[in-house]
Amino acid sequence: MGSIPQTLPKDLKITIKSSSLVHPPPLTLERRSMFLSNIDQLFNLDAETVHFFSAIESFPHIAVCDAIKQALQQLLIPYDFLAGRLRPDPVKGWIEVDCNGAGAGFVIASSEMTLEEIGDLTYPNPAFKNFVPTRSLKGLEDWPLMAIQVTSFKCGGFAMGLSINHATFDGATVKTFLENLASLAATGTLSVHPCNDRHLLSARNPPRVTFPHPELTNNIDRTFDASINTPIEAKLFHLTPSDITLLKQKAGPAPTRFNAVTAHVWRCHAAAVTAATKTSTLLYMVDLRQRLRLPKSYAGCAVWVGYATATRDELLEGEFDRVVESVREGAERVTEGYVKSVVDALEIGKGEASMGGDLLVSSWWRLGFEMVEYPWGSPVYCCPIVDRKRGIVVFVPDVRGGSGGVNIYIALSAEEMGRFEKMFYEFLK
């Protein structure tokens, strides 16, 4: 266990060599409008990741760029919507995708640094944003839904940065997309054919809200975007496999690693920020594919939040196994009927509601991006581009993803961070 120091470079000495749009192959474009589900609508924001690769002599930077660009062009046939643009739905007033072939972004860049000089890859350095394409947000029509940047390092290694509109993909879909990119670059064939039918998550007619949905809010102060006047700092905490085993032992019979770690972080967060009389609401993502019997290849946001609530006293003074059980119950609550109810609630809300709580856990721990095998090898590390935002905790994998440990990124005020850190370590003794 331990916190990871933040002695990381802020200037990555990057030069943009070229920037272009990649279009679907000629004669493959079928102009159409693509419906976005109510859950897709809720995730209309950029999701950015960076994937680091070591040097390989048989794949110099220009060869990698050519392979990725050619594979991307072919991917814009089964994923034609990625070359499209968002536009208002003329009937509902929400957004849809105009599959107009306007193109996905592709950027080639270089850095004067070596991969080693970039520093500790396990820390989500805010400067890593320079590895991701910067989009021009002049309007929906000029906003590419996807862009890739390939940045070469002086040592021969490189970074592949992706910026994807979350309304088009969730984490599992990104993994499938990357597997298809790698497969096309290697063999010219797809690994998995995506299912692009978002109507599988459409609202009922008429909509019927049959469950309470405390994870939805119209209160902007509970949307994780509310700003505070107190300066915040960010830290990365590491849990080793033995730390996780200890947490599981404290948690009672056979908890999952995710539930045990999430319960621990929730308690520490409550100790740091929650008033004694206040109830804390935890949110975390649950994959819906199996629960709703969706195709495994479903492309889109097939996720919803599990939630758990407890008072500060219940979290800090109650038994740890009960906290873990609350986390488990939050995921079990997300049944097929529950998801249909929340989709209908969003239909009735017409985009006014958003997710709201005190703590949102965004887990990149087990997505497996680092396991994708490209012709030039698997990444040495993959991580999201994260912002310092109170109320959001990010789980990121340990180096190379093989240790079984996890890194926990959190942003708090200095006073809150002190309380969080104190409890984080005390409970592991």
Side-chain angles (χ1 to χ4, degrees):
M1 64 181 178
S3 59
I4 298 176
Q6 304 177 35
T7 53
L8 300 167
K10 296 181 179 179
D11 181 5
L12 303 180
K13 302 177 181 178
I14 288 176
T15 302
I16 301 298
K17 300 292 187 180
S18 67
S19 181
S20 61
L21 289 172
V22 177
H23 302 280
L27 305 180
T28 65
L29 178 64
E30 179 185 351
R31 185 73 179 264
R32 66 187 181 95
S33 297
M34 188 176 82
F35 167 81
L36 293 176
S37 76
N38 291 344
I39 294 178
D40 292 331
Q41 304 277 340
L42 201 63
F43 288 94
N44 182 18
L45 50 89
D46 283 349
E48 300 172 328
T49 61
V50 60
H51 310 249
F52 295 97
F53 297 85
S54 296
I56 177 169
E57 188 174 344
S58 56
F59 272 95
H61 184 237
I62 188 62
V64 169
C65 290
D66 288 344
I68 292 176
K69 189 172 185 178
Q70 290 174 20
L72 176 59
Q73 184 181 43
Q74 292 302 311
L75 280 176
L76 295 181
I77 302 174
Y79 296 98
D80 62 330
F81 55 91
L82 290 180
R85 296 293 184 267
L86 295 181
R87 69 180 179 190
D89 182 321
V91 177
K92 292 179 61 176
W94 284 24
I95 55 172
E96 62 182 14
V97 180
D98 178 10
C99 301
N100 59 4
F106 188 75
V107 178
I108 298 175
S110 65
S111 170
E112 298 176 23
M113 305 178 75
T114 65
L115 188 56
E116 187 176 77
E117 291 169 339
I118 294 297
D120 189 346
L121 299 180
T122 61
Y123 190 90
N125 186 349
F128 286 173
K129 196 170 184 67
N130 291 292
F131 294 133
V132 176
T134 300
R135 299 185 181 190
S136 174
L137 305 182
K138 297 177 181 177
L140 292 178
E141 294 78 9
D142 298 317
W143 186 355
L145 296 178
M146 179 187 192
I148 297 178
Q149 178 175 316
V150 185
T151 305
S152 63
F153 299 118
K154 193 168 56 175
C155 59
F158 68 95
M160 181 176 70
L162 278 75
S163 180
I164 303 176
N165 189 295
H166 209 329
T168 63
F169 277 173
D170 61 15
T173 311
V174 174
K175 169 76 178 308
T176 300
F177 176 85
L178 292 174
E179 289 171 337
N180 277 328
L181 181 73
S183 180
L184 277 171
T187 67
T189 60
L190 287 178
S191 172
V192 177
H193 286 270
C195 170
N196 298 330
D197 184 5
R198 310 300 175 91
H199 288 94
L200 295 175
L201 282 176
S202 60
R204 292 172 290 193
N205 187 17
R208 303 188 299 278
V209 180
T210 53
F211 291 85
H213 293 290
E215 75 275 31
L216 292 177
T217 180
N218 293 317
N219 183 352
I220 192 156
D221 291 329
R222 294 186 67 237
T223 61
F224 306 108
D225 291 321
S227 61
I228 60 169
N229 295 325
T230 306
I232 61 174
E233 61 181 47
K235 274 193 175 182
L236 196 71
F237 295 87
H238 178 64
L239 290 176
T240 66
S242 59
D243 293 331
I244 297 172
T245 298
L246 176 61
L247 288 173
K248 291 180 66 177
Q249 290 170 348
K250 289 175 177 280
T256 65
R257 291 186 297 171
F258 175 83
N259 287 353
V261 172
T262 299
H264 177 52
V265 171
W266 188 20
R267 293 177 82 242
C268 297
H269 184 266
V273 307
T274 307
T277 58
K278 187 180 178 185
T279 296
S280 174
T281 299
L282 164 75
L283 306 179
Y284 55 95
M285 294 298 165
V286 177
D287 193 309
L288 304 179
R289 286 168 177 80
Q290 186 172 359
R291 294 165 190 258
L292 272 64
R293 299 183 294 278
L294 296 171
K296 290 182 65 176
S297 61
Y298 179 84
C301 288
V303 291
W304 189 245
V305 289
Y307 75 86
T309 59
T311 66
R312 184 180 189 273
D313 287 347
E314 288 171 337
L315 290 170
L316 302 186
E317 298 177 11
E319 295 296 328
F320 182 61
D321 60 355
R322 179 59 203 137
V323 181
V324 176
E325 182 68 7
S326 293
V327 177
R328 185 189 66 80
E329 290 171 350
E332 287 191 347
R333 185 182 297 112
V334 186
T335 62
E336 182 176 5
Y338 188 89
V339 174
K340 289 181 177 179
S341 176
V342 79
V343 169
D344 289 356
L346 293 169
E347 181 79 6
I348 293 169
K350 296 296 182 186
E352 294 180 1
S354 60
M355 292 185 299
D358 303 286
L359 181 67
L360 171 65
V361 172
S362 175
S363 179
W364 297 73
W365 184 7
R366 307 296 295 170
L367 286 176
F369 292 166
E370 73 283 351
M371 298 173 63
V372 179
E373 183 68 33
Y374 300 85
W376 44 87
S378 296
V380 296
Y381 194 70
C382 307
C383 65
I385 307 297
V386 298
D387 295 320
R388 295 187 176 188
K389 190 174 290 186
R390 290 176 84 253
I392 297 181
V393 172
V394 184
F395 293 174
V396 290
D398 199 1
V399 176
R400 297 183 187 273
S403 76
V406 64
N407 294 317
I408 298 160
Y409 179 91
I410 186 168
L412 297 166
S413 70
E415 183 179 352
E416 292 168 341
M417 188 69 78
R419 292 194 293 265
F420 180 94
E421 189 165 5
K422 182 174 183 291
M423 184 158 188
F424 189 91
Y425 296 127
E426 281 186 353
F427 194 66
L428 292 172
K429 293 178 181 177

